[in-house]
Amino acid sequence: MSTRSAGVPFRDTSESPLAGRAPRVLLLGSGELGREIAIEAMRLGAEVVAADRYSNAPAMQVAHRAHTLAMTDGAALRALVEREEPDVIVPEIEQIDTTALEQLETEGWTVIPTARATRATMDRERIRRLAAEEARVSTGRYAFADDVRSAAVAAEHVGYPCLVKAMTSSSGHGMSLVQDRSELEGAYLEAAHGGRVPSARVMLEEQVHFDLEVTVLTLRAYAADGSVRTQFLSPVAHVRPGTVYHSSWQPAELPATIVARLEAAAGAVTDRLGGVGLYGVECFVRGEEVLFSEVSPRPHDTGLVTLASQWNSEFALHARAILGYPVPTIEPAVPAAAHVILGVREQENPVFGHLRQALSVPGVRLFLFGKPRSHPGRRLGVAVARGGTIAEARERAERAAHWVESFRGAGTA
Amino acid sequence: MSTRSAGVPFRDTSESPLAGRAPRVLLLGSGELGREIAIEAMRLGAEVVAADRYSNAPAMQVAHRAHTLAMTDGAALRALVEREEPDVIVPEIEQIDTTALEQLETEGWTVIPTARATRATMDRERIRRLAAEEARVSTGRYAFADDVRSAAVAAEHVGYPCLVKAMTSSSGHGMSLVQDRSELEGAYLEAAHGGRVPSARVMLEEQVHFDLEVTVLTLRAYAADGSVRTQFLSPVAHVRPGTVYHSSWQPAELPATIVARLEAAAGAVTDRLGGVGLYGVECFVRGEEVLFSEVSPRPHDTGLVTLASQWNSEFALHARAILGYPVPTIEPAVPAAAHVILGVREQENPVFGHLRQALSVPGVRLFLFGKPRSHPGRRLGVAVARGGTIAEARERAERAAHWVESFRGAGTA
């Protein structure tokens, strides 16, 4: 009989890490988002254990302990949890055996935000139906398909051009834009095989002609009175020339009416997902309209900008929430931007250059993730900037990132 | 024959940590200041090795590797340096064999800011003479003594009440305030034996009746053009009810004329010390007068407030400077304060409580250092706060720190 009870308690005390039983955080996935979560959790006195499928992943380099394993292997995952006995299990990526997570939650282990929410947000069909059909939030037209033929029917329903998406990805992998029927088969195969987990079922979606793509970072955390309260960070705007996150800025400079609609949509969806922690709710803004797109049950790529825009970054807020500590009102964002630094070739030991020029740009900071290996398009770092205006911050972050990317060294050019 | 050349190069490229030869930072001393330096260096892509005389020290918990050794043992220190081959050696505390450091520097290893500066700032006589007699900066009256008898002569020179200080401490240990001749012997013995390193020679100093005690955090770093430039952070004000750092705030709200005098004094002293990195120049403000007191060749305790007041904390600036990256203009500080959280008893595994109340104070963040052991007066954490005004920030930081200290748990009450 287990005496554990799932869920993060409203916490008041803490022992010390390593010397005693500090709150123990197990990161499943140890990338750059995990690294910042690890830092903030450690600053709050937690003990952090980092896991990923390769060694020396970014968060592993700062954590108290690290484990390398295939997290898609339910038995290995269970063995890790039983060995480390974490107070909170924090999925940072999607390639995790979510069925095993749900079973562990049933047994009393605590998954952030909840195992059900982790699973629901990974499944495009489940989360879309939850948003559109349960929470009654507006979305673009959508349909699902299980083969090329049904994809053609679905495409007629949503209309060309449309997006074909893998069922289990939130970072743009396995996603393509299809102009007409002739491109559909390739897109279907890409979605079926290029997602984080291969799946015959895919999602088709109207290509929304939006004015702006935004992420509403939504924090569910204890308030001083012990109730779980939802707060919204100022919307983060972002652009992706391809399908993957490229640059973002905050605040998004939207009218208050639109911000209110974004918060209403984010609140409606995250209320149904529950738990504590930070969600990244992705929406389109089209005229006066707000359309829900998808949601991450964790700090979001586009929220890297909060390393510049807020004293409490999305990572600091997430760490505080998942440890069960109260979060008073979140401070407003100052104008800031972030721009990714991508690898362009397959390479061990990526080398960065033009750091001198990049760091000479006023108001810029660089975060290099320390990944042991580069491949084309892999995110190796981010330039973040503050500016007197959003335009200035964006120009600075982009200039710094492009300096580093333009270096003809091993990792980046 | 060594091919090393001492000094931090103006750096443009970086390989990756662990996978390649990233700039390697060796922290000699791994306390809470070192922990923040480690975090910021790692964010910049460095490889960080932490050393201290006890295991699981704060910076060791985040560093890539850790070593436990007596750093007062020159041979052990040399063996560590030769094994780790650091690009920069960063003394974080004073209990280090500085003669060995100077020898290592002679052989081409790089010490931050320089081995000579590290040694000079630890030696109250050397640094006082450098400031008062070479840099011609005002100080309180001072004298030196080698026994109780010469201490009595020195005390007559500086006048009662006076301070008797150990020769090698900058954190207030081994320091006492003496009202009259009867208290002198006890104070002399405390200074001779209670300092970081026992020494018959002690310093006596006028008790300056100051209006405000401030730290001028002074950054020597590369500018975009490759020249080393000095920048000053907005002065940090602080109070210490005893002799040890207790709370600080920034900005210090001083008239521009006083700030200019503080910067002139800090610049004159640090120009003579050289190297790159951040110095904490401690001064008294008395009316229109500015009196130099002492200087740390590293981020300063009182500068913990910059975790709240500046986007680039003193630790972020220090990390960037010692890695040889350029630092453009430092941004102004927003009103913020810091208040220490002290242990009150001897205890393994300090326990913190009332975290709920502390973290419910608006604008507050807690940094708990994860030290494996508490003793009375040991700094175990810090509460930092932002506020609309300095008064508000100070009240918030103090309220949060006192909540934690008032917990009747193992570590703090």
Side-chain angles (χ1 to χ4, degrees), chain A residues 10 12 14-16 36 40 42-43 61 64 307 311 320 349-350 352 355-356 359 364-365 368, chain B residues 10 12 14-16 36 40 42-43 61 64 307 311 320 349-350 352 355-356 359 364-365 368:
Chain A
F10 186 34
D12 192 39
S14 174
E15 297 193 10
S16 293
E36 292 299 323
E40 298 299 352
M42 290 168 84
R43 283 171 160 174
Q61 296 181 37
H64 285 98
L307 290 168
W311 181 34
R320 192 147 145 178
N349 177 24
F352 299 90
L355 297 175
R356 200 181 278 176
L359 287 166
V364 161
R365 295 181 66 177
L368 303 180
Chain B
F10 186 33
D12 193 38
S14 173
E15 297 192 10
S16 293
E36 292 300 322
E40 298 299 352
M42 290 170 83
R43 283 171 160 173
Q61 297 181 37
H64 285 97
L307 290 169
W311 181 34
R320 193 146 144 178
N349 177 25
F352 299 90
L355 297 175
R356 199 179 280 177
L359 287 166
V364 161
R365 294 181 66 178
L368 303 179

Side-chain angles (χ1 to χ4, degrees), chain A residues 332-344:
Chain A
V334 301
H339 195 290
V340 297
I341 296 169
L342 303 179
V344 301

Side-chain angles (χ1 to χ4, degrees), chain A residues 295-311:
Chain A
V295 54
S296 70
R298 61 183 67 102
H300 196 262
D301 297 344
T302 59
L304 283 164
V305 68
T306 61
L307 290 168
S309 60
Q310 304 205 168
W311 181 34

Side-chain angles (χ1 to χ4, degrees), chain A residues 52-133:
Chain A
D52 210 322
R53 67 184 185 286
Y54 67 103
S55 56
N56 295 331
M60 289 180 178
Q61 296 181 37
V62 302
H64 285 98
R65 283 185 300 288
H67 300 279
T68 305
L69 75 159
M71 290 168 294
T72 46
D73 175 347
L77 199 57
R78 166 174 296 275
L80 175 63
V81 168
E82 289 177 349
R83 174 176 168 186
E84 286 290 0
E85 302 192 321
D87 292 283
V88 286
I89 299 169
V90 185
E92 191 240 15
I93 56 170
E94 305 197 328
Q95 305 96 306
I96 297 173
D97 183 336
T98 50
T99 309
L101 275 190
E102 285 191 306
Q103 179 56 35
L104 287 162
E105 186 175 85
T106 305
E107 294 167 25
W109 300 100
T110 300
V111 178
I112 299 296
T114 68
R116 191 186 71 90
T118 299
R119 192 168 177 189
T121 56
M122 274 180 61
D123 177 338
R124 286 196 198 279
E125 182 163 0
R126 210 157 148 181
I127 190 63
R128 178 56 60 97
R129 294 197 192 278
L130 180 148
E133 296 162 29

Side-chain angles (χ1 to χ4, degrees), chain A residues 220-288:
Chain A
R220 291 177 53 89
Y222 284 108
D225 65 3
S227 64
V228 172
R229 186 171 52 149
T230 299
Q231 292 192 76
F232 306 96
L233 282 70
S234 176
V236 173
H238 65 106
V239 288
R240 32 184 178 182
T243 55
V244 180
Y245 166 58
H246 203 76
S247 74
S248 55
W249 60 96
Q250 192 194 28
E253 303 187 306
L254 289 165
T257 51
I258 302 288
V259 174
R261 276 174 209 162
L262 286 166
E263 293 181 353
V269 171
T270 54
D271 277 354
R272 275 163 186 79
L273 292 168
V276 297
L278 187 127
Y279 285 95
V281 183
E282 293 188 62
C283 296
F284 301 115
V285 176
R286 180 172 65 185
E288 296 293 305

Side-chain angles (χ1 to χ4, degrees), chain A residues 10-22 35-36 39-40 42-46 56 61-64 223-225 307-313 316 320 325-329 331 348-373 384-386 407, chain B residues 10-22 35-36 39-40 42-46 56 61-64 223-225 307-313 316 320 325-329 331 348-373 384-386 407:
Chain A
F10 186 34
R11 191 181 300 278
D12 192 39
T13 63
S14 174
E15 297 193 10
S16 293
L18 305 178
R21 193 62 174 83
R35 183 171 80 165
E36 292 299 323
I39 288 170
E40 298 299 352
M42 290 168 84
R43 283 171 160 174
L44 281 165
N56 295 331
Q61 296 181 37
V62 302
H64 285 98
D225 65 3
L307 290 168
S309 60
Q310 304 205 168
W311 181 34
N312 285 282
S313 70
R320 192 147 145 178
Y325 296 127
V327 180
T329 309
E331 81 270 17
E348 299 292 338
N349 177 24
V351 178
F352 299 90
H354 292 163
L355 297 175
R356 200 181 278 176
Q357 291 94 330
L359 287 166
S360 293
V361 178
V364 161
R365 295 181 66 177
L366 290 184
F367 290 73
L368 303 180
F369 304 144
K371 294 180 183 176
R373 191 173 175 80
V384 295
R386 284 185 175 183
F407 173 68
Chain B
F10 186 33
R11 191 180 300 278
D12 193 38
T13 63
S14 173
E15 297 192 10
S16 293
L18 306 178
R21 193 61 175 83
R35 183 171 80 164
E36 292 300 322
I39 287 170
E40 298 299 352
M42 290 170 83
R43 283 171 160 173
L44 281 166
N56 295 331
Q61 297 181 37
V62 302
H64 285 97
D225 65 3
L307 290 169
S309 60
Q310 305 204 168
W311 181 34
N312 285 281
S313 69
R320 193 146 144 178
Y325 296 127
V327 180
T329 309
E331 82 270 16
E348 298 294 337
N349 177 25
V351 178
F352 299 90
H354 293 163
L355 297 175
R356 199 179 280 177
Q357 291 93 332
L359 287 166
S360 293
V361 178
V364 161
R365 294 181 66 178
L366 290 184
F367 290 72
L368 303 179
F369 303 144
K371 293 181 182 176
R373 193 175 173 80
V384 295
R386 285 186 173 181
F407 173 69

